[in-house]
Amino acid sequence: MPAEAETGRTLSASYLCGMGKISPPGMEMSFLERRAAMVSFIRPHPVSVASLEDKAGGNIFIMNLMGELGEGRFGFGLKDSRKPAHMVERTGRIALSSVPFNQGKLAFQLAANHFEERIDWNQLPFAIKRSVHFQIPIPAFALRVREMEVETMRKIGSHTFFVAKLVGDESIAEGEELHAIHGFYQAWRLRKGHTTLGVSLRADSVNKQGLAPL
């Protein structure tokens, strides 16, 4: 199996196993493969904002099923039943922006755009600017922006796995980057203290709805 296909299989399986699916559709996985996929998904992983645009318009949405492949390549997976997967397939270009932790509320609001074909850039709750290479709209608060061009894609279960070539990698600012872990892993970490778990869940809700002033 080609290296990119194996990586796509792992990323897609990691997500599906993390969502509680024992055997992802269309995949036969051994016990050890399922365990490895679950460990891969529950680790702290970045939540980034992806954006793309063509002559008909564009979209911006959050993404966390992704990873570097080496040799200037980047892999990411998108669900076939959602709009962005087909938009990426058509445009072949995407900009990926790293999100500061204190902008988590704004990033999570973009999850709704997975169901939108196009969005109105003027209605976004934050300022935007253009990426250096492809001139794609990106959040002005981005810590880092990676622009990439899709080279190949593969259908894996319910997802499409894209392999893209990095065209630009701009570090704009330093800061704590938004990451997430799976809920059942957090519950396991805090299994001995129900009070502590409750505090953690409330803090998670605050982070997704907007950080309180210091």
Side-chain angles (χ1 to χ4, degrees):
M1 180 180 292
E4 66 270 14
E6 182 61 34
T7 303
R9 169 187 168 94
T10 301
L11 283 172
S12 186
S14 298
Y15 172 76
L16 293 170
C17 287
M19 295 300 290
K21 298 182 182 297
I22 301 301
S23 297
M27 295 185 193
E28 292 295 331
M29 301 182 66
S30 69
F31 173 77
L32 289 179
E33 285 179 321
R34 291 197 301 270
R35 289 294 298 272
M38 293 178 71
V39 169
S40 178
F41 189 73
I42 65 177
R43 79 196 191 289
H45 51 280
V47 177
S48 298
V49 167
S51 51
L52 68 169
E53 187 180 46
D54 59 18
K55 293 180 179 179
N59 201 349
I60 185 168
F61 49 91
I62 61 171
M63 186 166 67
N64 66 359
L65 187 59
M66 58 192 179
E68 295 184 6
L69 303 178
E71 297 183 355
R73 300 302 188 275
F74 194 90
F76 58 95
L78 291 168
K79 201 167 185 178
D80 288 337
S81 61
R82 307 289 167 79
K83 304 294 186 180
H86 307 290
M87 294 185 68
V88 173
E89 185 175 345
R90 290 196 304 270
T91 63
R93 293 177 174 181
I94 192 169
L96 191 67
S97 302
S98 298
V99 180
F101 180 74
N102 61 6
Q103 299 292 345
K105 173 188 175 182
L106 297 179
F108 284 112
Q109 287 179 5
L110 299 177
N113 290 343
H114 277 272
F115 300 94
E116 301 294 336
E117 183 71 26
R118 298 282 187 269
I119 60 102
D120 183 349
W121 298 109
N122 295 320
Q123 296 301 314
L124 292 174
F126 51 81
I128 59 173
K129 61 182 182 179
R130 295 279 176 172
S131 64
V132 173
H133 293 275
F134 296 142
Q135 295 296 299
I136 297 173
I138 57 174
F141 57 65
L143 298 175
R144 177 186 182 187
V145 179
R146 283 172 283 190
E147 296 179 76
M148 52 194 79
E149 196 163 34
V150 174
E151 291 187 326
T152 186
M153 58 186 181
R154 184 182 295 265
K155 304 292 184 181
I156 304 177
S158 60
H159 285 61
T160 298
F161 177 68
F162 298 90
V163 175
K165 179 180 180 180
L166 289 171
V167 176
D169 188 349
E170 181 186 14
S171 294
I172 301 172
E174 295 184 355
E176 294 183 338
E177 184 179 352
L178 181 65
H179 283 67
I181 61 173
H182 201 282
F184 68 72
Y185 176 55
Q186 180 71 336
W188 178 85
R189 290 178 64 242
L190 303 173
R191 64 194 182 283
K192 293 183 180 180
H194 294 291
T195 301
T196 306
L197 177 58
V199 171
S200 175
L201 291 174
R202 287 192 293 274
D204 178 68
S205 179
V206 170
N207 290 338
K208 289 182 178 179
Q209 295 175 10
L211 295 175
L214 296 177

